[in-house]
Amino acid sequence: DGRHWPERLRVGWRPTPTAAAGAEQSASDRDIVMVSHWSSPEAAAQADLAQASPIAIARRHLSEVDVAHFELDDVISRHTDDEPIAIRIATGRFSRPGADTEMQNLLRQRAPLIGDEMAEAWVGRRLTGRAIEVTFVSTWRRLPTDRPLEEAFWPDIALRYDKFVVEVYTTVG
């Protein structure tokens, strides 16, 4: 039943930070990310109630599940038949009022300039207590040759955040 599935669903994994530091890795030493894009908050809630959403399924099979909901205001989708090989999540936190709006505008302006290695991207924000987080989530059909995914694409933007984190995951088909 299509009513219980997001418009887009991407799943990825990466070694946990401790496993990446050189310790022997097991299947439990992996961080998993699920990025879902729903037609509406109501559609996501309906799928959760029916226990058919990706997050409900993850909760049945994983011992630890953290959820972060972002309100999307811009989606970039490039037509391609290539499946993404990587998911990149860059998130910054602001405490200064109005800084999030300025940041979202900068991201909207610069994101279309990224090469065609990027398949799709979302710009979003959420409130976390008194702070606001702005995120730029992107999927990649090829690794870019002009920049590493693990670093800030635009250092002048990254410096404006109170806190800035980039996470990169290998997609699961």
Side-chain angles (χ1 to χ4, degrees):
D1 185 344
R3 294 177 300 170
H4 297 304
W5 289 103
E7 290 180 347
R8 288 259 197 288
L9 175 65
R10 300 289 183 220
V11 178
W13 73 275
R14 69 178 184 163
T16 60
T18 55
E24 192 168 320
Q25 185 178 350
S26 70
S28 64
D29 292 333
R30 295 182 182 154
D31 287 337
I32 297 171
V33 67
M34 290 190 322
V35 178
S36 59
H37 180 232
W38 294 84
S39 59
S40 69
E42 295 79 18
Q46 181 184 30
D48 282 343
L49 284 173
Q51 292 294 301
S53 69
I55 195 69
I57 294 166
R59 284 187 173 130
R60 287 195 295 268
H61 298 284
L62 301 173
S63 59
E64 229 178 282
V65 177
D66 295 321
V67 179
H69 295 280
F70 284 86
E71 175 186 333
L72 299 182
D73 71 345
D74 203 13
V75 177
I76 298 168
S77 183
R78 297 178 174 161
H79 299 288
T80 180
D81 292 332
D82 299 336
E83 284 296 316
I85 62 167
I87 300 168
R88 180 182 186 271
I89 304 172
T91 305
R93 179 175 286 201
F94 295 102
S95 55
R96 184 174 57 90
D100 61 306
T101 305
E102 179 184 336
M103 192 57 55
Q104 286 176 285
N105 287 334
L106 283 170
L107 289 170
R108 280 188 221 111
Q109 291 169 10
R110 293 188 187 180
L113 303 175
I114 295 174
D116 71 350
E117 303 94 350
M118 186 180 77
E120 56 196 345
W122 301 271
V123 176
R125 72 181 200 119
R126 73 178 184 151
L127 296 174
T128 57
R130 298 182 131 200
I132 298 175
E133 288 184 346
V134 173
T135 192
F136 180 71
V137 178
S138 52
T139 65
W140 296 79
R141 58 179 149 229
R142 290 185 310 279
L143 296 178
T145 57
D146 62 339
R147 65 184 89 203
L149 291 180
E150 297 80 12
E151 295 179 8
F153 284 179
W154 305 291
D156 63 313
I157 289 179
L159 291 172
R160 296 180 189 198
Y161 292 108
D162 296 337
K163 180 181 177 186
F164 179 73
V165 176
V166 176
E167 301 169 313
V168 178
Y169 298 83
T170 301
T171 59
V172 176

